[in-house]
Amino acid sequence: MDCARCKATVESGSRFCGFCGAPAAVEARLNWDDPKLAVASDPPLRRTYRLLQSWYREHVLGADYGYTHGKTTRPVGSLLAPDAVASDRALNFFDDRSILDYVDHRLPEVQAESGTLEEHRLRHNMLSSMPMAFSFVAALRQAEDRARIVSQLFGVDCAEVIEVFAEWTPNRPSAELLNDRTAFDATILYRSSTGTTGLIGIETKYTEPLSQRKYLKDRYVQVTNDCGWFRPSAETALVASKTNQLWRNAMLAAVSERLIVDEARLAIIGLDQDASLWKSADALTAQMAKPERILSRTWESVIESLSSSSIASFAALFNGRYLDTSPLDRAQGGSAVASVDSRC
């Protein structure tokens, strides 16, 4: 018999399809707001935006939901079904073929560079920040006024955008970097009006938390103490789980400045309401010798800025998919997520 969703062959007596994890028997389609499509462990912020992605999937994309692949197999509203993605590979990228073209071009480059990139997450997980970053990069690459956009968004003197990449690390031996697989979600390389070169490494977040693992290498201590970016003994504070990931991002920016550009900065972009992210960003900034190297930006402010640029249409699509929770309010009679912090 065939799986009801992906049409893969299911062995007789088997409950689940081996490819997509969907029940082999035909089941009733669940509405976008059915509690069975939620994830019980979600904190309030993630619960709201997972529900928004489920609404967008059903009402805007008209696509079916997918299934998890853990100890149990269950439907999740913010996942795209494999057969839906197989029919339209641009679904997780605003159904925009130009963004898909960049994804298809960049993905094998990252894999060839031994980068850490989960292709299934990129193409199927609507709640992930990975497709956000790829879509943002693809749109910025197309912008006629990208130098002005970069100058305005990040407060730098950008006369020319040299290149923009998703999922990027300098093309140098690992030992010259951090001797690990740390990479920027997005990277902007630019030239100033005086001819100097600059880099903005970007860490993007939607609702997922920062990595909670505490990594510590001799190389990290060496870079932290020698690069001139951090206060004395900053590694003692930054090794903590709440700052470890951002610390590694900042160190990668520091070694990039030494190796390939005249100046570098780390930008952190997340939701205005993500109090945990901004607390971690503040903790990192407090350990910087020059705090201005860390740029905290909200997605809300980024998209507002893009609204007056040549890619205003992309900004509107981005806002409608990722930020505007009013469809939930109209459908459920609830109230929008309250802002608990505000970043420039």
Side-chain angles (χ1 to χ4, degrees):
M1 61 182 295
D2 292 340
C3 172
R5 295 188 185 278
C6 72
K7 306 306 180 186
T9 300
V10 178
E11 295 182 2
S12 177
S14 176
R15 288 184 62 201
F16 302 117
C17 161
F19 175 64
C20 73
V26 176
E27 64 177 25
R29 181 187 176 99
L30 302 174
N31 291 328
W32 65 275
D33 58 348
D34 193 298
K36 293 179 181 177
L37 295 179
V39 175
S41 60
D42 279 348
L45 185 70
R46 192 176 311 136
R47 185 182 310 125
T48 294
Y49 287 96
R50 188 186 301 279
L51 191 60
L52 176 63
Q53 294 309 302
S54 188
W55 177 90
Y56 189 93
R57 171 190 52 74
E58 182 170 313
H59 288 87
V60 178
L61 299 180
D64 204 358
Y65 46 81
Y67 285 71
T68 60
H69 298 271
K71 293 181 179 179
T72 61
T73 300
R74 58 181 304 279
V76 177
S78 57
L79 290 177
L80 291 166
D83 59 334
V85 175
S87 298
D88 184 355
R89 296 170 57 251
L91 275 181
N92 211 19
F93 312 105
F94 303 96
D95 214 10
D96 186 318
R97 306 303 298 187
S98 64
I99 297 178
L100 177 63
D101 286 345
Y102 177 70
V103 172
D104 289 342
H105 171 77
R106 181 61 183 151
L107 180 61
E109 291 183 337
V110 174
Q111 293 171 333
E113 297 163 0
S114 300
T116 55
L117 193 156
E118 300 173 38
E119 185 172 0
H120 186 274
R121 177 182 168 212
L122 176 63
R123 298 190 187 276
H124 296 79
N125 190 336
M126 298 183 67
L127 196 65
S128 169
S129 62
M130 188 185 296
M132 290 178 86
F134 270 79
S135 297
F136 172 70
V137 165
L140 185 57
R141 289 168 63 93
Q142 298 173 40
E144 299 172 357
D145 53 346
R146 51 188 172 271
R148 184 191 66 82
I149 290 173
V150 171
S151 296
Q152 183 174 321
L153 280 181
F154 301 110
V156 297
D157 172 13
C158 174
E160 174 194 1
V161 174
I162 300 171
E163 187 56 279
V164 188
F165 295 102
E167 199 65 30
W168 183 89
T169 191
N171 185 21
R172 292 290 191 277
S174 180
E176 293 185 24
L177 302 174
L178 302 183
N179 203 23
D180 64 11
R181 304 181 78 179
T182 299
F184 298 122
D185 293 334
T187 303
I188 300 169
L189 298 171
Y190 65 92
R191 184 172 289 107
S192 73
S193 59
T194 61
T196 59
T197 55
L199 176 149
I200 301 172
I202 304 174
E203 174 66 24
T204 62
K205 289 296 179 186
Y206 189 30
T207 66
E208 66 269 60
L210 293 165
S211 171
Q212 296 301 294
R213 293 193 63 178
K214 295 172 63 174
Y215 295 95
L216 180 61
K217 295 174 178 282
D218 290 342
R219 177 61 174 162
Y220 298 172
V221 177
Q222 179 188 18
V223 170
T224 300
N225 290 328
D226 295 348
C227 70
W229 275 46
F230 300 93
R231 298 177 61 184
S233 302
E235 70 275 8
T236 303
L238 296 178
V239 72
S241 59
K242 70 176 182 179
T243 50
N244 198 281
Q245 182 179 347
L246 296 182
W247 176 40
R248 285 180 277 121
N249 291 144
M251 284 189 287
L252 184 59
V255 296
S256 298
E257 181 177 88
R258 186 182 64 201
L259 292 172
I260 64 172
V261 293
D262 297 312
E263 63 177 10
R265 292 173 175 80
L266 171 66
I268 302 164
I269 307 180
L271 291 173
D272 180 79
Q273 307 97 324
D274 193 346
S276 178
L277 174 63
W278 303 128
K279 185 176 180 180
S280 294
D282 288 344
L284 171 66
T285 304
Q287 295 297 322
M288 303 302 295
K290 295 183 178 180
E292 62 272 17
R293 295 182 187 272
I294 306 302
L295 309 173
S296 295
R297 300 290 186 268
T298 68
W299 279 118
E300 290 85 350
S301 66
V302 168
I303 296 308
E304 181 180 1
S305 180
L306 294 183
S307 297
S308 58
S309 73
S310 63
I311 52 174
S313 58
F314 168 78
L317 289 173
F318 191 103
N319 183 69
R321 171 173 169 178
Y322 286 114
L323 305 179
D324 182 10
T325 60
S326 62
L328 307 185
D329 305 331
R330 291 193 296 268
Q332 300 184 320
S335 58
V337 179
S339 174
V340 296
D341 196 6
S342 180
R343 299 278 160 163
C344 59

